Amino acid sequence: MSDTDTPEIDREALVAGYIRFAEALGRGVPDDTAETPAASDAYSAVEQLITHGPAGLAWDLVVEILRRAPDDRLDVYGAGPLEDLVRLHGVELVDVIEREAARDERFRWALGCVWLIVGELPAPTTERIVRASDGEIRPLDLSAIRPHRDRAT
């Protein structure tokens, strides 16, 4: 899936920069000094595309990031850009999410690292995404959590 109406961007530079910056952050390098300014810019650009850009372009970038992410940190990328993508565009992308999870075990594993909240997406979409993760996602039901009340004695 890709958006052909999107202005040309250097996807390779965005994906490589995003990973370089994320890995620097993972090593504890402060985000204002991490690796290179270009990597920081790429990281921000990917986050902006996930949040505000076309779902298809965001999908393409996130899938490529997951393909290149280090195995030992794949959970970070699943709970990061993939989770944001699913939460923001899950309804629109559920078909491709299911196909990719069925096709790619590594993607399915990363999908299982996503946190969802009951009611955040329509129930049928949530159910499909949970199934695609082989049941690894367990949506959090916030209605079951009671707020703490101060009790006067």
Side-chain angles (χ1 to χ4, degrees):
M1 172 177 221
S2 62
D3 290 340
T4 56
D5 297 337
T6 304
E8 191 58 36
I9 60 167
D10 187 346
R11 293 175 190 213
E12 172 61 31
L14 285 179
V15 169
Y18 184 95
I19 292 171
R20 190 167 50 254
F21 192 75
E23 291 305 299
L25 291 177
R27 291 190 310 273
V29 176
D31 63 356
D32 60 347
T33 60
E35 302 303 306
T36 67
S40 174
D41 290 347
Y43 188 91
S44 295
V46 170
E47 287 185 331
Q48 285 297 309
L49 284 166
I50 290 169
T51 304
H52 303 293
L57 176 58
W59 168 257
D60 290 344
L61 291 170
V62 170
V63 168
E64 190 58 32
I65 287 167
L66 292 172
R67 286 184 183 134
R68 297 184 192 187
D71 289 340
D72 63 337
R73 291 190 21 92
L74 187 58
D75 58 332
V76 173
Y77 293 88
L82 180 58
E83 180 174 300
D84 294 342
L85 184 71
V86 168
R87 286 178 150 177
L88 293 169
H89 302 289
V91 171
E92 187 176 352
L93 296 174
V94 67
D95 292 335
V96 294
I97 291 169
E98 288 175 319
R99 281 195 300 272
E100 189 68 16
R103 184 190 75 70
D104 184 343
E105 180 180 343
R106 200 165 181 273
F107 176 87
R108 187 172 51 253
W109 189 90
L111 184 62
C113 297
V114 167
W115 282 76
L116 292 178
I117 298 170
V118 172
E120 187 171 41
L121 295 170
T125 301
T126 299
E127 291 166 11
R128 290 173 66 187
I129 292 170
V130 167
R131 273 196 309 274
S133 77
D134 277 344
E136 289 297 317
I137 297 173
R138 296 208 167 61
L140 180 61
D141 185 356
L142 294 180
S143 68
I145 301 173
R146 294 184 188 172
H148 180 299
R149 292 189 204 167
D150 290 332
R151 293 189 173 114
T153 54

